[in-house]
């Protein structure tokens, strides 16, 4: 008997994440990892979590409610905070527009189930977030990739995808995973106009939006659509759906994210979530709400200072040490730097040598390309390593790449 023959179409379509598979080997002692796109656990607000937990335990009735089944839509105070936090002068959000999910990853899954049919054309950046491609892949869309440059999505390429039938766009406008790039203010305006011209739904992933190190990013696509439509028209005809999370600013282990959408769509997402897992853990939602309303703003300032120093160290060392012919992005925020190696150099082969010769890891970039390609690209994360370690690691990686360049030229 073969289990492979029994799998559903959705189960058969999903593939293992190269990053998750890579992370399995990175627990070995001595490996210096720039692979995982994860926050630094040393920066988690653990004293505040302990304080909130003690206070909950001291209130038996509330503590018991935190362990009980709850409503699918999410913990009401948390939904109220999310709605107020993301309302603008142009869009007044209510809890009817907010669904709490098990991280932004579940938001992607629910939206894929609600909106993507097999073989439906769908636009994604080239490259884009691997976790999103995993989710969308279960629905088997026909990908139309949009080229990127230093200012984000290239508008001619985006419009070509819309003309070719794409009726959905997934994008990370701010400090994108994996490229570290952001969409310029001018292009964001253009995206909204094109979306309404071609009737394209936009999934806007803002996981990294508050992690800026130089200046705040431009207005979000949700904010721009609010200016374009106004609140009432957005509620009835908005095309931008925004996905948020506390994973990058608080702790990913809470598994608390959210979807902001017009109420009609949200009602359908609630039914899908109800069928999936009933609701996100109430205790975790209470923790997230307490953290959000007490220490979040100050905590994010600390994250910006720490991650900003690490970003600076990685960029400066790469600029100093990389050989000619290797290009890299200089992100204004987020967690990632994207390297493009010379044509003909394979990042997977480079990783094998980096692990063997330097005990150093990164993520090869091919997996971030929906339609293949990118074998000469790789992603580096600066979030979890101290400055001195980053400088040492980037110097060693640059030396390895220089040796490979010489071998390629020979």
């Amino acid at each position: 008997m073969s289990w492979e023959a029994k799998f559903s179409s959705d189960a058969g379509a999903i593939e293992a994440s190269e990053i998750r598979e890579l992370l399995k080997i990175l627990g070995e002692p001595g490996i210096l990892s720039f692979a995982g796109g994860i926050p630094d656990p040393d920066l988690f607000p653990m004293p505040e979590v302990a304080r909130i937990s003690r206070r909950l335990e001291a209130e038996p009735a509330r503590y018991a409610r935190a362990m009980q089944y709850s409503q699918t839509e999410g913990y009401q105070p948390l939904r109220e905070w999310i709605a107020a936090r993301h309302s603008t002068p142009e869009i007044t959000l209510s809890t009817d527009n907010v669904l709490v999910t098990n991280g932004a990853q579940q938001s992607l899954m629910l939206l894929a189930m609600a909106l993507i049919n097999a073989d439906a054309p769908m636009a994604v950046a080239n490259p884009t977030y691997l976790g999103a491609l995993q989710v969308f892949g279960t629905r088997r869309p026909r990908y139309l990739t949009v080229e990127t440059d230093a200012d984000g999505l290239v508008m001619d390429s985006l419009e070509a995808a819309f003309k070719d039938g794409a009726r959905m766009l997934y994008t990370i406008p701010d400090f994108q995973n994996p490229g570290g790039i952001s969409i310029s203010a001018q292009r964001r305006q253009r995206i909204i106009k094109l979306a309404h011209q071609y009737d394209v739904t936009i999934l806007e992933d803002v996981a990294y939006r508050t992690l800026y190190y130089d200046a705040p990013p431009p207005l979000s696509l949700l904010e721009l659509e609010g200016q374009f439509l106004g609140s009432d028209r957005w509620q009835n005809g908005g095309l931008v759906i925004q996905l948020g999370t506390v994973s990058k600013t608080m702790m990913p282990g809470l598994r608390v994210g959210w979807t902001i959408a017009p109420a009609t769509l949200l009602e359908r997402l609630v039914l899908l979530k109800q069928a999936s897992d009933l609701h996100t853990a109430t205790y975790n939602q209470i923790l997230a709400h307490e953290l959000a309303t007490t220490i979040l703003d100050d905590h994010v300032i600390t994250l910006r200072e720490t991650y900003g120093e690490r970003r600076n160290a990685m960029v400066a060392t790469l600029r100093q040490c990389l050989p000619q012919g290797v290009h890299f992005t200089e992100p204004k925020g987020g967690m990632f730097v994207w390297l493009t190696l010379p044509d003909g150099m394979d990042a997977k082969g480079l990783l094998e040598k980096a692990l063997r010769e330097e005990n150093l890891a990164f993520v090869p970039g091919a997996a971030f390309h929906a339609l293949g390609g990118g074998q000469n690209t790789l992603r580096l994360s600066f979030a979890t390593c101290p400055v001195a370690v980053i400088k040492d690691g980037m110097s060693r990686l640059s030396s390895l790449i220089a040796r490979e360049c010489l071998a390629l030229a020979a």
Side-chain angles (χ1 to χ4, degrees), residues 18 28 36 86 96 120 147 156 171 229 292 298 341 382 391 401:
E18 288 196 14
E28 299 177 11
H86 294 85
D96 290 338
E147 296 308 312
D156 287 346
T171 182
L229 292 179
D298 289 338
L341 304 167
F382 50 79
K391 290 180 177 179
I401 293 174

Side-chain angles (χ1 to χ4, degrees), residues 274-330:
Q274 193 171 60
S276 173
D277 64 0
L278 298 182
H279 65 87
T280 299
T282 307
Y283 187 85
N284 291 14
Q285 293 185 71
I286 292 173
L287 283 178
H289 176 253
E290 293 283 341
L291 291 168
T293 55
T294 55
I295 60 103
L296 177 60
D297 290 337
D298 289 338
H299 181 62
V300 169
I301 291 173
T302 300
L303 296 181
R304 288 178 190 144
E305 292 173 350
T306 303
Y307 292 154
E309 290 175 354
R310 295 173 182 180
R311 183 277 313 263
N312 292 343
M314 180 170 283
V315 168
T317 307
L318 290 173
R319 187 184 297 124
Q320 178 182 357
C321 297
L322 276 176
Q324 289 186 347
V326 181
H327 306 283
F328 63 95
T329 59
E330 300 188 26

Side-chain angles (χ1 to χ4, degrees), residues 139-150:
R139 309 301 298 167
R140 302 173 300 285
R142 177 168 67 89
Y143 288 121
L144 300 172
T145 56
V146 180
E147 296 308 312
T148 59
D149 61 18

Side-chain angles (χ1 to χ4, degrees), residues 56-135:
L56 270 175
E57 292 171 11
E59 303 176 46
R62 190 182 180 211
Y63 193 41
R65 286 196 301 273
M67 301 302 177
Q68 183 57 281
Y69 286 117
S70 185
Q71 62 182 0
T72 303
E73 291 86 346
Y75 179 56
Q76 184 75 5
L78 178 59
R79 293 168 66 212
E80 290 172 353
W81 176 82
I82 294 167
R85 183 87 164 188
H86 294 85
S87 290
T88 70
E90 292 79 23
I91 295 184
T92 301
L93 300 172
S94 73
T95 54
D96 290 338
N97 301 119
V98 178
L99 171 64
V100 179
T101 57
N102 282 305
Q105 195 72 8
Q106 189 186 39
S107 292
L108 287 170
M109 180 62 77
L110 297 175
L111 288 161
M113 293 170 66
L115 299 174
I116 301 176
N117 289 314
D119 298 320
M122 178 177 187
V124 296
N126 192 37
T128 195
Y129 171 47
L130 173 57
L133 294 178
Q134 274 194 296
V135 170

Side-chain angles (χ1 to χ4, degrees), residues 138-215:
T138 66
R139 309 301 298 167
R140 302 173 300 285
R142 177 168 67 89
Y143 288 121
L144 300 172
T145 56
V146 180
E147 296 308 312
T148 59
D149 61 18
D151 288 324
L153 299 175
V154 175
M155 291 298 97
D156 287 346
S157 181
L158 180 67
E159 186 166 11
F162 289 178
K163 288 181 177 178
D164 199 18
R167 290 298 172 262
M168 181 178 294
L169 166 68
Y170 170 72
T171 182
I172 308 172
D174 314 302
F175 326 122
Q176 184 226 34
N177 179 3
I181 57 177
S182 296
I183 300 175
S184 67
Q186 183 179 10
R187 290 188 184 181
R188 293 177 194 227
Q189 294 273 6
R190 180 69 175 150
I191 289 170
I192 296 299
K193 292 179 180 178
L194 287 172
H196 281 269
Q197 178 181 344
Y198 291 95
D199 190 26
V200 176
T201 302
I202 300 174
L203 308 186
E204 180 187 27
D205 189 337
V206 295
Y208 306 94
R209 181 168 176 79
T210 58
L211 295 179
Y212 55 83
Y213 312 131
D214 301 311

